[in-house]
Amino acid sequence: MTVASPLQFRHIQDAAKRIAGVAHRTPVLTSKTANALAGAELFFKCENFQRVGAFKFRGAYNALSQFTEAQRKAGVVSFSSGNHAQAIGLASRLLNIPALVLMPHDAPQTKITATREYGAEVQTYNRYTEDREAIGRDLAERRGMTLIPSYDHPDVICGQGTAALELFEEVGQLDVLLVCLGGGGLLAGSALAASGASPQCEVIGVEPALGNDGQQSFRAGKIIHIPVPDTIADGAKVTHVGEHNFPIFQQHVKDIVTVDDAQLISTMKFFAERMKIVVEPTGCLGAAAALQQAYPIAGKRVGVIVSGGNVDLPVLSQLLA
Ligand SMILES: *Cc1c(COP(=O)(O)O)cnc(C)c1O
């Protein structure tokens, strides 16, 4: 059995105060065409317009802004397939904290370059043969740096939950909220936000079909580990959900569903063609579930977190071709 999470709705509200004026309050877009396709009223919370192009800035800034003086001096270490790296890069620069980020050697080049440009030191590792968590812990110990992982951390979870909180503040109560699921920072935070701001809302996690460890874990009642999944949703290429995150799923998440890569590609096309926005494959998970009925939403008011828009242009043009 997992232990119940101490995190609550008020922790999301506290995080919202910390990031206010620093993170963008991203727009909520609607589309009559999307509504017709889904047979529901959809509200897209567009975190592709967040600073660094993804919601990850919320959690990173919420975590780093609470560092003590000694932690600020020694710096932050992190590991990430991309967007969390950029988020740590920007948040650390804004707060004047040295940062070291471990990134997989095959992460999108735009994400590696952007992280360096924000001022973080980047070290690459092989995601198939090396254990990034062990490398991160080792670096944290040797250099006295504080490790801020991309999802398995209370302050990260609470920062991520502020996107859903803003969505509820803007559009009111919802029947269903569809949230992309990688390691579960966004899903856990969104579920906590819903628990206070729209308690009747069914919060649904959406994973790539080939990386459905979260769904397996949810059904088994314990965290299941899988090999690195083969999917174009690079932000959801995780092998297991977080230990801080999973108890929150058990308490506040209604279900976890999956969509396949072909559905992600057609959703990227929909966003580009009909809504004129660039959304990365992982960012399409929630919308793909809505547009392709992976969860019953007919006639309902449905929130969709569009989590990010960072995709290499050659990859984008190839996927859209
Ligand atoms: C990190 C990320 C996710 C998954 O978030 P988790 O908190 O790890 O579940 C989804 N979409 C994008 C764009 C991301 O960067």
Side-chain angles (χ1 to χ4, degrees):
M1 252 324 275
T2 40
V3 187
S5 173
L7 295 179
Q8 292 172 15
F9 177 61
R10 67 183 162 85
H11 296 113
I12 309 293
Q13 294 175 298
D14 293 342
K17 286 186 200 118
R18 280 184 212 107
I19 67 162
V22 186
H24 294 320
R25 245 190 120 85
T26 52
V28 177
L29 298 188
T30 57
S31 156
K32 291 268 189 295
T33 316
N35 290 353
L37 281 171
E41 193 179 4
L42 305 180
F43 301 92
F44 297 98
K45 175 66 171 168
C46 289
E47 287 293 297
N48 52 319
F49 294 125
Q50 186 51 264
R51 295 185 80 171
V52 312
F55 70 92
K56 293 277 196 331
F57 179 68
R58 297 171 181 272
Y61 193 86
N62 185 48
L64 266 58
S65 65
Q66 296 179 73
F67 272 22
T68 64
E69 205 40 54
Q71 284 179 304
R72 282 175 191 251
K73 270 222 179 83
V76 57
V77 59
S78 196
F79 41 79
S80 165
S81 58
N83 288 334
H84 179 63
Q86 291 179 70
I88 289 285
L90 177 59
S92 67
R93 195 186 72 199
L94 294 173
L95 292 161
N96 234 327
I97 296 172
L100 170 64
V101 180
L102 290 164
M103 299 184 77
H105 67 290
D106 60 348
Q109 197 54 48
T110 45
K111 293 183 179 178
I112 295 181
T113 307
T115 306
R116 289 211 166 102
E117 282 172 2
Y118 285 125
E121 186 189 334
V122 175
Q123 206 171 299
T124 55
Y125 70 96
N126 186 321
R127 73 162 109 213
Y128 299 97
T129 59
E130 295 183 280
D131 178 357
R132 66 182 195 173
E133 297 182 30
I135 303 173
R137 268 195 303 274
D138 182 53
L139 278 165
E141 238 162 65
R142 276 194 290 125
R143 298 212 205 173
M145 297 172 120
T146 302
L147 178 65
I148 298 294
S150 66
Y151 54 84
D152 199 358
H153 191 289
D155 298 335
V156 172
I157 290 171
C158 291
Q160 317 307 32
T162 59
L165 182 65
E166 290 173 13
L167 175 60
F168 291 121
E169 283 169 359
E170 186 158 337
V171 306
Q173 309 261 318
L174 294 169
D175 301 312
V176 178
L177 180 63
L178 298 167
V179 185
C180 328
L181 171 57
L186 186 64
L187 179 60
S190 301
L192 287 170
S195 74
S198 185
Q200 304 305 315
C201 181
E202 298 177 349
V203 179
I204 308 297
V206 186
E207 278 187 317
L210 294 175
N212 75 333
D213 59 287
Q215 185 183 55
Q216 290 182 41
S217 304
F218 194 69
R219 304 220 160 128
K222 60 173 196 216
I223 298 173
I224 306 260
H225 291 239
I226 61 166
V228 178
D230 182 17
T231 166
I232 58 166
D234 60 285
K237 263 175 156 347
V238 304
T239 58
H240 58 96
V241 300
E243 280 172 27
H244 290 93
N245 315 64
F246 189 63
I248 300 171
F249 300 174
Q250 290 184 303
Q251 224 184 320
H252 298 294
V253 169
K254 175 83 193 307
D255 202 1
I256 295 175
V257 300
T258 65
V259 297
D260 63 30
D261 280 8
Q263 291 173 309
L264 292 178
I265 293 169
S266 62
T267 304
M268 280 177 86
K269 281 188 185 154
F270 178 84
F271 276 131
E273 226 167 49
R274 309 307 294 255
M275 294 181 69
K276 320 298 170 197
I277 59 175
V278 173
V279 183
E280 64 183 275
T282 319
C284 290
L285 283 163
L291 298 177
Q292 320 221 16
Q293 281 88 27
Y295 184 78
I297 54 168
K300 296 190 169 162
R301 280 167 57 83
V302 180
V304 177
I305 310 277
V306 177
S307 57
N310 293 323
V311 50
D312 283 345
L313 283 184
V315 175
L316 179 70
S317 59
Q318 194 196 327
L319 290 175
L320 296 184

